[in-house]
Structure formats: structure tokens, C-alpha cells
Amino acid sequence: MGNSQKRAIQNYRSRLGERGLARFEVLGRDADRDLIRSLARRLSEDTPAASELRATVSKSIAGEPTKPGGILAALRRSPLVGIDLNLSRPREEGRKVDL
């Protein structure tokens, strides 16, 4: 590689550094290439959505346990809360079966 190419790469990487970005290489499955690129693109943005995505991915990778009571909270948000439903049904003996 010539000196001009090395200088161009160095200038490009210094401009990335000024923007707070860094270039790095990762290994992954070929099928995940588009996913990883789109994730990296979204994370490089300086938006609230990128911060939320970063927090979600970090939390998912860290493997922190979820808060207890999540199912109960979901049931309380159900549109059926407060509706008087009659869920009982008549008890029948069934039919006789000839074995």
C-alpha cells in the first residue's frame, strides 16, 4: 500500500474519531451480516431511539433477570378487567360407553 493510501485511511479514521465513531471488525455468521450492519448504523446515530436501542441490547446481553410481577401487570392492563364474565358451565355426567 502506498503512502498516499495510508495517509487517506489515516485521515478518514481521524475524521471518524472527531465524530465519536470508531472502525472495528467483528466475526459473525454470513446470514447476520445485514442485521449487524443495520444495528451498527442505528447505534451510530445520536438520537434518543439509538440510546433506547443501546440500553435494550445491553440489558438483553447482560442477562439481567426481569422484574417479578410482569405477567400480573399485563393481566391488569387487559381490556377484560372489570367485566363481569360468567365462566361457569353446567356439570354433566357424560354418556355411557360400551366397552
Side-chain angles (χ1 to χ4, degrees), residues 2-53:
N3 285 337
S4 61
Q5 289 176 331
K6 288 181 184 178
R7 196 170 45 251
I9 290 172
Q10 186 178 11
N11 289 337
Y12 171 70
R13 291 184 179 163
S14 67
R15 285 193 309 270
L16 284 178
E18 290 171 0
R19 292 175 27 203
L21 300 174
R23 181 176 169 81
F24 51 91
E25 185 175 330
V26 296
L27 295 176
R29 298 195 180 273
D30 193 37
D32 295 334
R33 181 186 310 244
D34 292 333
L35 173 67
I36 292 171
R37 283 183 175 168
S38 64
L39 180 64
R41 193 175 303 114
R42 293 286 287 291
L43 290 175
S44 68
E45 298 169 356
D46 192 19
T47 62
S51 298
E52 184 178 332
L53 179 62

Side-chain angles (χ1 to χ4, degrees), residues 69-82:
I71 294 174
L72 180 60
L75 290 173
R76 286 184 176 160
R77 289 190 307 265
S78 170
L80 298 177
V81 170

Side-chain angles (χ1 to χ4, degrees), residues 59-72:
K59 185 176 180 181
S60 175
I61 290 174
E64 295 176 8
T66 58
K67 292 187 258 181
I71 294 174
L72 180 60

